[in-house]
Amino acid sequence: MAEIRYSRNLFLRCINVIYLFAFTSFYIQIPGLYGENGILPARTQMDIKETDFAAKLQKKPTLLWFASYLSLDTEHMMDVLALLGMFLAFSGFVSLKCCTKPIFAALWSLYYSLYQVGQTFMWFQWDILLLETGFLCILLSPWRQKGGSASSGGSSKKQAASSNASSPADYINFWLVRWLLFRLMFSNAVLKLTSGCPTWWGLTALHVHFESMVIPTPLAWYFHHLPWSFLKFGLVYSFFAEIFVSPLFFCPIKGVRTTAFFIQVFLQLIIIISGNYNFFNFLITALCLSLVDDDFFYGEGKKTSALKRFSKYLATIVIYAAVIFAVIKLYGIKMTPAGTMEFKITFKPNEFDVALGRAVPILAAVAFCSLAFTCLRSLALVFSQTGTTVSKVFSFFSTLFYIFTAIALFSDSLVPFSNLHPATANTTVHPEIRLFHNKLSHLHLTNSYGLFRRMSGVGGRPEVIIEGANNVEGPWVEYHFKYKPGDVNASLPFVAPHTPRLDWQMWFAALGTYHQNSWIMSLTYRLLTGSKEVLALMDVQRNPFPVKPPRYITASLYHYSYTPWEARDKPATWTRKKVGEYFPIFSKEHPPLLDYLRNLKILQDDKKKRRASCQPYLLII
């Protein structure tokens, strides 16, 4: 078995970088999102009737319950947790010695504690993906790092790996990372087709995607204006990488997995430069490291015969040639007499439904066989290792523990994976496993994935534009956000890996009504009262009411579209058209608005405010 010590350590350090991005981005937004004058104060999530500490911790497992013991309120305790997470993540990035189980257990606990009170601003797939990945890092990381450095170069890398061989359990835990990557990629593509969205089935989704994505990058405008045939090719490539290549993650041939690594990383790089999807695609790129071993970084450790190398290369070429041939047939790829490429899905939705119903249990069986093979090879490695009898016995029982843990997590993950098709939801998974998954689902150890099942923004991307005025008759002046489209002349930013959570929620709010997004009423009230914390989440420099907040707030729904290619030399990036009212005019004395926010416990009575403000001082006394 090829060594994976360097690959493992590199993966762990990458996850520390992702944690650092996530904690830092979250920390600077705490006052505006979760503070006392924020949009959704975190204290409302800590209002639990139980008085017993253990009961509170069981009902909402979060480290924020220790705030009172430190004489802190919930907001400042969130600051402490985020700062501690930043420190630990940075330590793990700069020093391999900090990439250990205790550190990753602490990072997971800190992020999970913040997630518990994050509410709608943390209900994103990258947040639960980071939690699942972070838990796997606890299993994958050692208790103590023994010499070597993942940042050393050349021959020193090889020496570090050779003097510090991979433990048998590393292969099992790294396989779980690969299984997570497969479920993520396969589910993302499959759910787009099961949704029945005509843009995915017509291969026209990318004609809308770059215009309708939440926060486009400056390059998104140019991607949008690529030839239609090229955009269709790009969509077919993503289906090729996610549906057809992802099962090859479990192929025993190293060349097949290495090729899959390059295919997946290239797809992630294209997404990163075209769309601001926070740390999501950086995290997926890190997960792709589970497809390679140490030989990928510093070459083969042992010389192999020319015949063996040729057979590996030939097998890789044959496998990918078969996959490409299948894609060409299924997606009707052909050249026209004019020299352009045509694409058309040749299978019908009902045929895809039948094929998916058969594929899900087969893929689960293939993955289980791959896991079983990895476990058996790890056990064989235990007995082939040199060392004392005591060390061998310890290694044997340690490997057995990780084998049982891997089987438990694999079984648990089959529940969301089998839900990809209704026919396999109950037949693939035993009812006891489903019950086990439901009991642990709040920990997000295994999750279901699938972004943007239906393409939004066909006919123009919807945007909510908030306006303020000091008179009902106007003039109405627009509020500007830092990153999301608003001013048609504003340049598009590069934001990732930062996660501007308010800008993201404004995108989702535009897809529904304000009745479906209760938080936007709190945002309105904070703007009416001139909350500095909330205004800091927006474009402060372009605040239309810098001295005194407006007396009235309203919002309108607009449809945005990119300017045509011919207007590329002009400053405007967007054109927009007003569709109608999003919510009516509100003032800060509006009784229904105040009652609504009190019912949500966002606003407190004066007595409760005084009691809350005095509580830390009472604890000190």
Side-chain angles (χ1 to χ4, degrees), residues 89 99 155 206 268 412-413 422 487 506 594:
C99 294
S155 61
L206 291 188
Q268 299 311 312
D412 185 51
S413 67
D487 183 358
M506 288 297 296
L594 297 176

Side-chain angles (χ1 to χ4, degrees), residues 158-367:
K158 197 169 183 176
Q159 286 180 350
S162 60
S163 63
N164 220 348
S166 305
S167 70
D170 287 343
Y171 299 95
I172 301 169
N173 296 323
F174 219 24
W175 184 93
L176 289 173
V177 178
R178 190 184 308 170
W179 168 241
L180 169 59
L181 176 65
F182 164 75
R183 289 189 289 112
L184 173 67
M185 304 305 292
F186 188 78
S187 300
N188 273 340
V190 164
L191 290 176
K192 290 177 173 62
L193 294 176
T194 57
S195 69
C197 179
T199 60
W200 296 115
W201 280 92
L203 301 178
T204 60
L206 291 188
H207 304 147
V208 185
H209 168 71
F210 297 107
E211 184 179 71
S212 65
M213 66 173 60
V214 183
I215 305 176
T217 69
L219 297 179
W221 186 90
Y222 296 94
F223 277 95
H224 176 76
H225 290 293
L226 288 172
W228 275 47
S229 59
F230 197 88
L231 292 175
K232 284 190 174 184
F233 172 78
L235 183 54
V236 171
Y237 177 83
S238 68
F239 282 140
F240 160 73
E242 295 175 344
I243 296 179
F244 296 90
V245 174
S246 57
L248 300 179
F249 295 170
F250 308 111
C251 181
I253 302 174
K254 185 187 300 184
V256 174
R257 299 196 305 272
T258 303
T259 305
F261 170 81
F262 285 112
I263 292 172
Q264 301 299 334
V265 170
F266 178 74
L267 175 63
Q268 299 311 312
L269 290 177
I270 294 298
I271 298 174
I272 288 172
I273 65 175
S274 63
N276 289 294
Y277 289 101
N278 316 309
F279 58 80
F280 188 50
N281 299 105
F282 294 93
L283 179 52
I284 296 176
T285 304
L287 291 173
C288 290
L289 290 171
S290 63
L291 300 175
V292 297
D293 53 38
D294 291 5
D295 292 343
F296 175 81
F297 297 99
Y298 50 74
E300 296 271 348
K302 297 179 180 179
K303 292 184 178 180
T304 56
S305 64
L307 179 61
K308 192 173 182 180
R309 289 198 303 270
F310 175 77
S311 62
K312 289 181 179 179
Y313 293 145
L314 181 61
T316 301
I317 293 172
V318 169
I319 289 174
Y320 277 100
V323 172
I324 292 173
F325 177 78
V327 172
I328 291 174
K329 289 296 183 182
L330 291 172
Y331 287 86
I333 304 175
K334 62 181 180 180
M335 295 292 296
T336 64
T340 60
M341 297 182 69
E342 281 189 354
F343 304 87
K344 183 180 180 181
I345 294 181
T346 59
F347 52 91
K348 297 179 181 179
N350 61 326
E351 294 173 334
F352 175 77
D353 184 71
V354 173
L356 181 62
R358 296 173 180 173
V360 169
I362 292 175
L363 290 171
V366 169

Side-chain angles (χ1 to χ4, degrees), residues 521 525 528 551-552 585-600 603 605:
M521 290 293 92
Y525 180 79
L528 287 167
R551 294 182 59 190
Y552 304 100
I585 298 174
F586 289 105
S587 66
K588 67 178 181 180
E589 297 88 8
H590 194 63
L593 175 63
L594 297 176
D595 291 341
Y596 182 73
L597 296 178
R598 288 193 184 100
N599 289 335
L600 294 177
L603 295 184
D605 295 332

Side-chain angles (χ1 to χ4, degrees), residues 72-141:
L72 297 173
D73 57 19
T74 303
E75 177 188 355
H76 290 92
M77 188 64 183
M78 292 179 73
D79 289 336
V80 171
L81 297 186
L83 287 170
L84 183 57
M86 292 163 58
F87 172 76
L88 294 177
F90 182 75
S91 300
F93 166 62
V94 298
S95 175
L96 185 61
K97 293 182 179 180
C98 294
C99 294
T100 58
K101 287 186 188 299
I103 297 296
F104 278 106
L107 287 170
W108 186 90
S109 301
L110 292 168
Y111 203 76
Y112 181 74
S113 296
L114 296 174
Y115 178 85
Q116 285 293 293
V117 296
Q119 304 169 74
T120 187
F121 292 110
M122 282 196 81
W123 292 342
F124 295 117
Q125 294 221 355
W126 36 90
D127 291 311
I128 62 173
L129 177 62
L130 182 56
L131 286 173
E132 184 170 350
T133 305
F135 181 77
L136 294 181
C137 287
I138 300 174
L139 299 177
L140 183 60
S141 57

Side-chain angles (χ1 to χ4, degrees), residues 57-77:
L57 195 62
Q58 183 178 7
K59 191 165 186 179
K60 186 176 286 292
T62 174
L63 296 173
L64 292 172
W65 290 119
F66 291 96
S68 59
Y69 295 95
L70 299 176
S71 299
L72 297 173
D73 57 19
T74 303
E75 177 188 355
H76 290 92
M77 188 64 183

